[in-house]
Amino acid sequence: MERLSDVLRRTAIGAENTARSSAGADVPKSDTAPDAELCPVCDGLGWVSRELPLDDPDFGKLIPCVCRAEELKSERFRRLQRYGQLEPFAHVTFDSLESELARYAVNEKNGPYVDALAGARKYAAEPDGWLVLHGPAGSGKTRLAAAVANEVIRRGLPALLVSVPDFLDYLRAAYAPNAETPFDSLFEQVKEAPLLILDDLGVQSATPWAQEKLFQVLNQRFIERRPTVITLSRPLLEMEPHFLSRLTSPEVATLLATGAASSRLRATDALDLPRFHEMTFANFDPRTYDALDRRQHQSIEGALNTSRSFAEQPDGWLVFTGDNGVGKTHLAAAIANHCRAKGIETLFVVVPDLLDDLRYTFGPQSDVSYDELFEGVRTVPLLVLDDLGAHATTSWAQEKLYQIINYRYNAQLATVVTMNISLDELAQDEPRVASRLADPRFSIAFNIDVPNYLLRRNATPQLSESRSRRGRG
């Protein structure tokens, strides 16, 4: 996807060129082949001029011929999609969303998602004020917002979709003296967009600067009642008070709840499987790691204490490395179970299984789109990635994992990662991912340096028996 600043700059230049052309450019050359049948109105030029008096202000101006009207309409639609950063969602329409509900027996059919779909369609028909979409990750908020934008630009009106973390990154970059698009220009274009879609409000870092810039955008659009669609990345009541007062204003905002996460996102979550569901802090006992030296005992005790602290206040990233069977997955699942019990939306995925689920969405039997599953994984408030590095290192797998990890890194979303390889080994195949996992400003990397507990536990009876036999001999 192009950078927002590039899209806006190119669009502005295109608008200037269009204005110059309409003010008196030569007739564009026709692309019609010599042997093609020419339009009887314009003789294949594609442009005509009207018969008007000499003193008419429109005398001599060119207008598109009827033979080009549909082509120009399609070109404008594609241009508006590029402007709005909607090309990845080009296929998302209200009709396609309703077809999915009709085709698949998904749980949303009996929940609030159907009402949200109807409400979003109504808003798109006549955008006025704000539309605020809230619900858990994977419940379809971004796709509903994209359907609104596509419906609006289908009627020839511009709409701009921006992810809040990306928008803030663009603004920071615009401060640079050599920035291609100055800060003021970029900031004003977003504030003044005819229809603005802010995706993932609430996921941004809570720095005073970020809060101020976002509030300036929202407050101006609130005062002017500019059409704005907002998707929330966290529960409505957890939003900052000055945002909440505007998001819930009955005079300006319409609130739509999208309901539960999609069935496929829930199927991707491994935490409900008996093995992972039973992994808690209560049944993680470092004393079972017998025959350890002092340094190894300190390692496993440190891993447990770090996990407990993270679970009480999930913030930043926690990366566990170490051999198989040292307790990494148990501690990661214990964090996930603890946070889910506290009401924090949590997703626990085994990385190879996650990649399989993403591939499955491209098949005709999938009950969820790739965009919906991918957005649900990358935006969930707490994500546990188990067995990173155990997946096949195809270019597709590397790119998808990097997109998930890079987004969560920029958005500073709480993430727990377990790996059977070291960060140095990961850097050999995936240096971009490794650099983010190793960032000490945001991530705690903890190597659990103990022997494989499972192998030792299974091997102990056999070892005792062989010793007993040798003793009897």
Side-chain angles (χ1 to χ4, degrees), residues 5 149 456:
S5 56
R456 289 186 295 107

Side-chain angles (χ1 to χ4, degrees), residues 116-391:
L117 179 58
R121 184 189 278 274
K122 181 180 178 181
Y123 178 87
E126 191 173 349
D128 181 40
W130 288 12
L131 179 67
V132 180
L133 300 166
H134 62 102
S139 60
K141 303 184 297 293
T142 298
R143 300 178 78 218
L144 284 175
V148 171
N150 283 328
E151 175 62 23
V152 168
I153 68 173
R154 186 186 64 81
R155 301 200 302 269
L157 302 174
L160 176 63
L161 185 151
V162 294
S163 164
V164 169
D166 290 344
F167 172 54
L168 294 173
D169 282 345
Y170 298 140
L171 288 182
R172 294 185 187 100
Y175 274 118
N178 59 345
E180 296 175 348
T181 303
F183 174 87
D184 291 339
S185 175
L186 179 60
F187 193 55
E188 286 302 314
Q189 287 183 72
V190 173
K191 284 202 300 183
E192 302 291 337
L195 172 63
L196 176 65
I197 297 172
L198 280 177
D199 192 31
D200 277 346
L201 180 65
V203 78
Q204 73 278 356
S205 60
T207 64
W209 182 88
Q211 298 288 359
E212 177 189 357
K213 295 307 162 191
L214 279 176
F215 185 72
Q216 288 175 2
V217 170
L218 289 173
N219 195 49
Q220 177 172 320
R221 298 186 70 88
F222 178 83
I223 293 172
E224 298 175 356
R225 291 183 60 98
R226 286 183 176 270
T228 307
V229 180
I230 301 169
T231 74
L232 303 184
S233 66
R234 63 181 201 244
L236 181 65
L237 296 180
E238 292 183 10
M239 300 299 296
E240 290 76 6
H242 53 296
F243 287 137
L244 184 62
S245 64
R246 285 150 180 77
L247 294 170
T248 57
S249 170
E251 292 81 16
V252 176
T254 299
L255 293 169
L256 295 178
T258 51
S262 71
S263 57
R264 189 63 186 171
L265 184 59
R266 289 192 296 273
T268 301
D269 187 3
L271 198 59
D272 289 332
L273 296 176
R275 174 173 174 256
F276 298 118
H277 186 66
E278 295 170 359
M279 292 178 173
T280 66
F281 291 124
N283 58 28
F284 186 87
D285 187 359
R287 291 175 298 181
T288 60
Y289 288 75
D290 55 354
L292 300 183
D293 60 30
R294 180 179 179 183
R295 180 182 55 81
Q296 292 170 332
H297 270 295
Q298 289 176 340
S299 178
I300 197 65
E301 290 280 0
L304 176 59
N305 293 335
T306 301
S307 299
R308 288 186 182 275
S309 298
F310 187 92
E312 288 302 323
Q313 189 173 358
D315 185 30
W317 289 11
L318 179 58
V319 181
F320 283 126
T321 61
D323 292 335
N324 288 315
V326 300
K328 304 183 304 294
T329 296
H330 190 135
L331 289 174
I335 292 171
N337 282 313
H338 183 85
C339 290
R340 181 170 290 180
K342 291 170 57 179
I344 298 173
E345 190 179 351
T346 302
L347 182 64
F348 183 105
V349 295
V350 181
V351 170
D353 294 342
L354 168 63
L355 294 172
D356 283 346
D357 286 341
L358 286 172
R359 294 186 187 96
Y360 179 83
T361 62
F362 293 107
Q365 300 304 316
S366 176
D367 62 357
V368 68
S369 72
Y370 167 84
D371 292 331
E372 184 178 356
L373 179 57
F374 187 74
E375 282 299 303
V377 172
R378 77 171 189 160
T379 61
V380 67
L382 174 60
L383 175 66
V384 177
L385 291 171
D386 189 41
D387 261 356
L388 179 66
H391 56 280

Side-chain angles (χ1 to χ4, degrees), residues 16-175:
E16 293 174 4
N17 292 338
T18 302
R20 294 193 192 103
S21 299
S22 62
D26 294 333
V27 175
K29 295 181 179 180
S30 172
D31 294 330
T32 307
D35 296 335
E37 184 177 348
L38 299 179
C39 171
V41 178
C42 65
D43 290 332
L45 293 175
W47 300 83
V48 296
S49 60
R50 292 178 293 176
E51 294 183 3
L52 297 169
L54 290 175
D55 58 351
D56 191 291
D58 291 332
F59 177 80
K61 286 188 177 180
L62 299 175
I63 60 174
C65 178
V66 291
C67 67
R68 288 205 66 198
E70 194 62 34
E71 178 186 349
L72 290 173
K73 182 179 179 182
S74 298
E75 288 177 359
R76 177 173 173 79
F77 181 79
R78 289 192 295 270
R79 186 167 63 251
L80 287 172
Q81 280 196 320
R82 289 194 299 271
Y83 161 79
Q85 302 210 105
L86 285 158
E87 288 177 307
F89 300 98
H91 62 288
V92 179
T93 65
F94 289 115
D95 289 341
S96 70
L97 296 180
E98 289 184 345
S99 295
E100 288 178 8
L101 288 177
R103 182 178 178 185
Y104 302 113
V106 294
N107 292 344
E108 289 90 341
K109 290 188 71 173
N110 299 319
Y113 181 81
V114 173
D115 295 333
L117 179 58
R121 184 189 278 274
K122 181 180 178 181
Y123 178 87
E126 191 173 349
D128 181 40
W130 288 12
L131 179 67
V132 180
L133 300 166
H134 62 102
S139 60
K141 303 184 297 293
T142 298
R143 300 178 78 218
L144 284 175
V148 171
N150 283 328
E151 175 62 23
V152 168
I153 68 173
R154 186 186 64 81
R155 301 200 302 269
L157 302 174
L160 176 63
L161 185 151
V162 294
S163 164
V164 169
D166 290 344
F167 172 54
L168 294 173
D169 282 345
Y170 298 140
L171 288 182
R172 294 185 187 100
Y175 274 118

